[in-house]
Amino acid sequence: MADSISEINCAESVTIAQVADIYAQLLMAMAEGQAIQINLGQIERIDTAVIQLFYAFYRDAQLQGLVVIWSNPSQLFCDAVDRLGIKAFYVE
């Protein structure tokens, strides 16, 4: 595992309006080449576009050999991902 961890904290509401900002944060974290922790604990609203972004990011990070830590996923996040049938991507 890397020497340090890049941390990304999600707000209570993560919608398509925030996708560009979240994407930029994810790319910067990936460029640092260290483990990435994404705190999902505050999420009370999430759009499918954000879940798709997280899924694509996770796959890209895996291809680069980076560790992604899904920290404290809220129940709403878990339920939304489960409904989409892609639960396995955020379970470590």
Side-chain angles (χ1 to χ4, degrees):
M1 190 152 159
D3 293 330
S4 59
I5 298 175
S6 294
E7 294 185 28
I8 297 173
N9 293 302
C10 294
E12 289 179 9
S13 179
V14 281
T15 66
I16 197 163
Q18 288 87 33
V19 166
D21 291 336
I22 294 169
Y23 182 63
Q25 290 179 47
L26 293 171
L27 286 181
M28 287 188 338
M30 187 180 283
E32 292 176 8
Q34 52 196 11
I36 302 156
Q37 178 173 313
I38 302 173
N39 185 341
L40 307 166
Q42 298 299 316
I43 295 177
E44 293 180 8
R45 178 175 181 222
I46 189 165
D47 285 353
T48 301
V50 179
I51 295 171
Q52 291 170 327
L53 173 65
F54 284 155
Y55 181 73
F57 168 76
Y58 177 70
R59 290 180 50 146
D60 289 346
Q62 279 189 314
L63 290 173
Q64 293 187 26
L66 299 174
V67 174
V68 178
I69 303 161
W70 303 99
S71 175
N72 193 29
S74 71
Q75 188 62 51
L76 184 130
F77 176 83
C78 295
D79 291 346
V81 173
D82 289 351
R83 277 192 300 276
L84 294 172
I86 53 176
K87 178 181 179 178
F89 91 90
Y90 74 90
V91 177
E92 291 295 314

